[in-house]
Amino acid sequence: MPSIQDVADQINAKLDSINNNTAQTVTRLNAIDNRLNTIDNHLQAGVNELANGIFAIFELLKVTNSILDHHTNQNNTIICELKNTNDLLCGITRKLTTQLDLSEQMVQSLKRVEGIAERTQPAAAGDYDRDLETNKRISECCPPPEPKPEPCPNPCAVTEPRPHRPQGQDWKPTPPRGPNEPIG
């Protein structure tokens, strides 16, 4: 039968083996932890780099949107100008059509009245011609006031471009690192 000393030696040997195995496990876990920390640092640096790049792109999108907004305002101004021009042309066409019709009616009436007047009162026709000549001379000397022109439509708003001033455009991606190069 083994002695107590032999049993104690066997227990101590087992404990030494357990201590050695535990120390090796701790060493391996520390190496794994260091590798995980390195991977985490690489991931954090990559995420920061990606975030900076996305921020630069986002700022450029703001510039694009501000330019598009300016173009939209310019297009709205062009549409307003075209509507005003169309309104003016429609008004002119209506007035001109009415005026032409009235002018044709007046010409017919005046020819008739003039013909009747010259036949019935030739002396009055001569007097009328002299009076017409006198009025012509007076209007050359002192012209009557000119009628005010019809008002034009209000001018359309014309906006000035105000592009967005981007931030973070000094960002440049960091050069790629070798597999064994430290971060930082």
Side-chain angles (χ1 to χ4, degrees), residues 6-179:
D6 290 338
V7 171
D9 287 342
Q10 284 179 354
I11 290 174
N12 280 338
K14 290 280 184 188
L15 285 175
D16 287 341
S17 174
I18 289 172
N19 280 339
N20 284 340
N21 288 340
T22 302
Q24 288 175 357
T25 301
V26 167
T27 303
R28 287 183 182 162
L29 285 176
N30 285 338
I32 289 171
D33 189 45
N34 286 339
R35 287 181 184 164
L36 285 175
N37 284 337
T38 301
I39 289 172
D40 185 50
N41 288 338
H42 281 285
L43 283 174
Q44 285 182 6
V47 167
N48 284 338
E49 195 71 24
L50 184 61
N52 289 336
I54 289 173
F55 176 75
I57 291 170
F58 181 66
E59 287 295 306
L60 291 176
L61 285 174
K62 287 180 184 178
V63 171
T64 303
N65 286 344
S66 67
I67 292 169
L68 286 174
D69 186 50
H70 174 68
H71 283 268
T72 299
N73 290 337
Q74 283 183 325
N75 287 339
N76 288 342
T77 300
I78 291 169
I79 290 168
C80 176
E81 293 289 353
L82 288 173
K83 284 181 179 177
N84 286 346
T85 303
N86 188 45
D87 289 345
L88 286 173
L89 288 175
C90 279
I92 290 169
T93 302
R94 278 190 223 109
K95 288 177 184 177
L96 186 59
T97 302
T98 303
Q99 188 62 42
L100 285 174
D101 185 44
L102 289 174
S103 294
E104 287 175 13
Q105 290 176 19
M106 281 178 57
V107 165
Q108 294 300 322
S109 293
L110 286 175
K111 283 181 181 178
R112 184 165 189 264
V113 169
E114 191 176 275
I116 292 170
E118 285 179 354
R119 287 189 184 133
T120 59
Q121 298 183 2
D127 189 39
Y128 175 79
D129 290 338
R130 284 188 299 277
D131 191 36
L132 188 63
E133 183 64 31
T134 303
N135 286 335
K136 182 179 173 187
R137 287 182 187 163
I138 290 173
S139 65
E140 285 175 0
C141 169
C142 305
E146 292 186 25
K148 291 183 181 179
E150 289 190 32
C152 292
N154 292 332
C156 298
V158 178
T159 59
E160 292 297 319
R162 283 182 257 156
H164 174 76
R165 302 289 180 221
Q167 301 172 2
Q169 294 306 303
D170 58 342
W171 172 83
K172 297 206 180 357
T174 55
R177 289 186 271 284

